[in-house]
Amino acid sequence: MQTIISEKIKLVRLMRRLSMEQLISLMGNDAVSKMAISKIERGIMNPSEKTLKAIAKACNVPVEYFFKEDIGIGDVVFRSAKGVTTKEMDQMKAKVIHTIHKYFEQESYVLSSTPFKNPMKGTILSSYTDAENAAITLRRKWEIGIQPIFSAYELIQDYGIHVLELDFENEHIDGISTFINGKIPVMVINTRRNITTERKRFTAFHELAHLLFKLRPLSDEEHARYLENLAKLPYTSVLKCPDEERLCNIFAGAMLLPSQCIARRIGSTRTEISTEELISIRECYGISIAATIHRLHDLRIIDDNLYNKFFEEQIKANPMEEGWGEFPIKEKADRGVMMKIRLENEIKN
């Protein structure tokens, strides 16, 4: 119990973005020394009832918060946190953990969880082909064929994977994924970074890859052999050896826009591509124009020159893709809000 209390004191302090000195200042007449706070947070010293109440008041949480049982959140890793300080990382981590705790506390009351069973258990992603085939297999197992996906969030949640949204207060991180008690998958999408619906959908499937698959990128030598064995096409685009994040991106693109659909709409090779064609795909499949261009290049439908030309002349000039259509369905991670409303209504009755 003491470990839970000490961890939650540190968690709520970081979540409130308070240094130890600032916490002590807010504790008023019941303040203790910085050394005492440090020992309490490390579980070396037990806080008195008076001290615990003062900390709770300073952090604007009920005392009961410190005694709630930990739900067993797995590692929270920010994979692309460039230029983020350790302090900022700790604060973001605390905010994510608190959000997950709050969500699952509500969920435990309404018992609305769908049991999770990994349909791709044991599947390894190492290459472009692995990621493409994994998307085809998952679409088949989830019985969605090659049709556009109405809502990525709803689809993912219907199979027992929890989707939450949170402003990480950092523009460099797309999201995180982890497991509760080692068996309940949850992803948190960063709304600061994922502004458009298309971006939210892509990030959701990217995080899904982290949850479902074992990621084992090829070595440079293995990748070179892999490229030699690919079917020869008119365009031999330079396909870089994908790391874990790139493998997840390839899977996400393949989930949103299956290769069969690209073949029907775009064809097998193109020397030019129009913005109008890409807008039509965005509006139908809910994938950004930038992500579609990446798909066409990965599938060697367009060559390096056209790929680079489009990004230089189009995407860099309009990175938010304003005026280039939009997917009509808005992704909303609102199940937590719906649970809260349900609880409030049931309490009234």
Side-chain angles (χ1 to χ4, degrees), residues 157-180:
Q157 289 176 125
D158 282 345
Y159 285 93
I161 301 155
H162 300 269
V163 182
L164 310 180
E165 286 187 341
L166 178 66
D167 182 354
F168 286 22
E169 300 181 18
N170 183 288
E171 297 179 351
H172 301 289
I173 299 168
D174 291 307
I176 66 98
S177 51
T178 189
F179 282 87
I180 305 301

Side-chain angles (χ1 to χ4, degrees), residues 24-125:
I24 292 166
S25 176
L26 292 172
M27 290 170 68
N29 295 332
D30 295 321
V32 294
S33 68
K34 182 179 178 181
M35 182 178 293
I37 293 295
S38 177
K39 287 183 177 180
I40 289 170
E41 289 190 355
R42 287 181 288 154
I44 297 174
M45 186 172 85
N46 295 326
S48 67
E49 182 179 348
K50 183 173 69 173
T51 299
L52 201 57
K53 286 181 178 179
I55 292 173
K57 185 177 180 180
C59 294
N60 195 28
V61 295
V63 176
E64 293 77 18
Y65 171 84
F66 300 116
F67 296 95
K68 291 177 182 177
E69 186 176 354
D70 185 28
I71 60 174
I73 299 175
D75 290 338
V76 175
V77 180
F78 300 99
R79 294 179 297 270
S80 56
K82 296 179 180 179
V84 180
T85 66
T86 301
K87 182 179 179 181
E88 290 172 333
M89 193 84 72
D90 287 341
Q91 289 171 340
M92 284 192 293
K93 184 176 180 179
K95 193 172 182 180
V96 168
I97 292 173
H98 177 75
T99 299
I100 295 174
H101 266 285
K102 188 175 180 181
Y103 173 87
F104 277 92
E105 181 182 353
Q106 290 179 335
E107 206 242 15
S108 67
Y109 290 135
V110 298
L111 300 174
S112 63
S113 180
T114 301
F116 170 71
K117 184 177 181 180
N118 189 346
M120 305 296 290
K121 187 175 181 180
T123 302
I124 298 171
L125 300 191

Side-chain angles (χ1 to χ4, degrees), residues 5-21:
I5 293 173
S6 63
E7 288 177 351
K8 290 200 170 183
I9 288 173
K10 182 177 181 180
L11 175 68
V12 75
R13 176 177 66 79
L14 291 171
M15 185 187 66
R16 300 300 186 200
R17 307 179 77 85
L18 298 173
S19 65
M20 289 186 184
E21 292 86 353

Side-chain angles (χ1 to χ4, degrees), residues 313-331:
E313 297 180 0
Q314 304 285 344
I315 301 299
K316 285 187 178 181
N318 187 15
M320 296 305 296
E321 304 187 359
E322 295 178 357
W324 288 350
E326 63 179 339
F327 191 60
I329 308 301
K330 302 299 181 185
E331 295 286 358

Side-chain angles (χ1 to χ4, degrees), residues 255-319:
M255 280 296 294
L256 287 169
L257 182 59
S259 58
Q260 301 97 313
C261 301
I262 295 177
R264 293 172 184 174
R265 280 178 166 263
I266 301 296
S268 59
T269 56
R270 294 292 294 270
T271 56
E272 288 293 338
I273 193 79
S274 70
T275 306
E276 288 75 19
E277 289 175 285
L278 299 172
I279 288 173
S280 177
I281 290 174
R282 180 184 184 183
E283 293 176 335
C284 183
Y285 290 92
I287 184 172
S288 71
I289 288 173
T292 299
I293 288 294
H294 277 300
R295 292 275 296 138
L296 298 182
H297 183 255
D298 288 346
L299 294 170
R300 296 182 296 170
I301 292 172
I302 62 175
D303 65 9
D304 297 334
N305 291 331
L306 181 53
Y307 171 81
N308 293 329
K309 177 185 175 183
F310 198 94
F311 266 88
E312 287 295 327
E313 297 180 0
Q314 304 285 344
I315 301 299
K316 285 187 178 181
N318 187 15

